[in-house]
Amino acid sequence: MKRILLLMLMISTSLMAQKSDEDQLKEIYKQSLLNGKSYEWLDYLSNQIGGRLSGSLNAERAVRYTKQELEALGLDRVWLQPVMVPKWTRGVKEYAYVESEPGKTTSVNICALGGSVATPDGGLKTEMVEVKGLEDLKALGESKIKGKIVFFNRPMQADLISTFAAYGGCVDQRYSGAAEAVKYGAVGVIVRSMNLRLDDYPHTGSMGYGELPVDQRIPAAAISTNDAEMLSTMLALDPGLKFYFSQKCRVFPDVESYNVIGEIKGSTYPNEIITVGGHLDSWDLGDGSHDDGAGCVQSMEVLRLLKESGYTPKRTIRVVLFMNEENGLRGGNKYAEVAKEKGENHVFALESDAGGFTPRGFSFDSDAKNYERILAWKPLFEPYLIHLFEKGGSGADIGPLKGDGTVLAGLRPDSQRYFDHHHAENDTFEHVNKRELELGAATMTSLIYLIDKYGIVQGAKIKG
Ligand SMILES: [Zn+2]
């Protein structure tokens, strides 16, 4: 009898020691908002290091800095995973103008697209033809395009509430515009910036030439939305006007860089891995605060907050700061490749790569069974105004982990202002709000905590 009483006492004390999920989430949000580190880390990444284009010195400084900060957290293991990345440099600032008659010019704001070739020495000046998308090229044909610069001017669709959907509806012009236009004899490409707002910032981003031989590649640049509007009006009045642009970008051989990884070993199921991450590289125009410094520091904060809130993970929790999402995805591919080689069991992966704005929820790339289990946690998030749990994509870097029952998820912050800054000179630290960033970190930590505690169903089995 005494034994039974003692046993009952032991059970009830251990139950008392274990916090309810409500209390655990409360503690996580409290720690993030009162003692958070994410904003301080972002300040350093953005203001002391700055833009971190793959293959640049800044990217390597960011690798060293984040590794050192993860080591200071006292994780079980921190390491660098080597990966070869492309090296493209912008060179001196681009220059462009519209010439309505000889000697009468109007300057416009452009920037080279990532991966583009340079213009010929002295720049490129010729007539221009405006289109609303790739499909217009065929209708115009070689007779109207040959020898000209093609101006892709389809705006992002403003009535779509998801700005990512609006981006998705336009970005083919940027990525494939040059490769497609060259088939009709175009000599250059100017693309309207992927930006819903009218302003003067050109927005860069990746583009590709496919299999096109190097000597046939044509230069491609983005133009600010204000200048795209002006140019379109000028072209309507005078279809014979000339457009000039000069850019000096260069491609170098690949260089070695790294994914930065840290982990807390699982106390019960160390072989079940939960990954959380963002991408450490950024474009070079701003300092990459929203894209994706925010996602990196939030992911680092997940491990710190779990420690601070006194929670011992059952599974291995790993933070991965991926290199080269922007112009190659080499880091994401390398991480998945090594995981496969080692036979690692990734049960769950979460990415934050949609800006440091107020979190709204998550998008899940999951089978029905796990999604149903996850949906049951939704009420826990409602006090924090996290309402959106939807099925959909996750993140580019964790995408290659898909398969073998891994559940993937992406943090979904409010997206209305994201494309005001995306890949432009104004993606800078002062546009990230400290509280919003911290709420995002706490929201991610809460989800990781629940996944760790309750596990993921793989096949028919689940470890509780
Ligand atoms: Zn990004």
Side-chain angles (χ1 to χ4, degrees), residues 279 291-292 325-326 353 418 422-423:
H279 63 87
D291 188 13
D292 182 27
E325 188 271 347
E326 295 294 2
D353 183 19
Y418 184 59
H422 185 246
H423 300 177

Side-chain angles (χ1 to χ4, degrees), residues 130-284:
E130 178 178 343
V131 296
K132 292 291 182 200
L134 300 175
E135 56 288 348
D136 289 356
L137 295 172
K138 201 172 176 183
L140 284 172
E142 202 176 311
S143 64
K144 302 240 170 59
I145 295 175
K146 200 177 165 86
K148 294 182 183 162
I149 296 169
V150 172
F151 171 35
F152 288 95
N153 191 29
R154 181 162 81 255
M156 285 172 78
Q157 200 184 323
D159 58 337
L160 291 175
I161 301 308
S162 164
T163 61
F164 282 88
Y167 179 67
C170 269
V171 74
D172 59 343
Q173 306 172 93
R174 189 194 78 203
Y175 192 83
S176 310
E180 291 303 315
V182 77
K183 292 178 186 166
Y184 300 91
V187 292
V189 157
I190 296 292
V191 184
R192 181 190 182 100
S193 288
M194 306 288 123
N195 177 7
L196 280 153
R197 192 169 72 166
L198 289 175
D199 65 23
D200 296 325
Y201 297 107
H203 294 227
T204 190
S206 63
M207 55 87 64
Y209 294 103
E211 298 302 308
L212 196 68
V214 177
D215 61 347
Q216 292 173 30
R217 296 179 180 183
I218 58 171
I223 186 167
S224 76
T225 46
N226 270 340
D227 288 336
E229 293 284 304
M230 181 185 72
L231 180 56
S232 183
T233 308
M234 290 174 86
L235 273 168
L237 294 170
D238 175 12
L241 64 73
K242 288 189 172 153
F243 190 89
Y244 170 88
F245 75 119
S246 165
Q247 58 188 34
K248 307 274 184 194
C249 31
R250 277 180 75 183
V251 177
F252 291 85
D254 290 356
V255 296
E256 189 176 60
S257 187
Y258 306 92
N259 291 328
V260 183
I261 310 176
E263 72 177 23
I264 302 173
K265 258 243 161 329
S267 59
T268 319
Y269 310 115
N271 294 330
E272 290 195 11
I273 298 166
I274 295 172
T275 288
V276 57
H279 63 87
L280 196 51
D281 66 305
S282 76
W283 284 107
D284 54 330

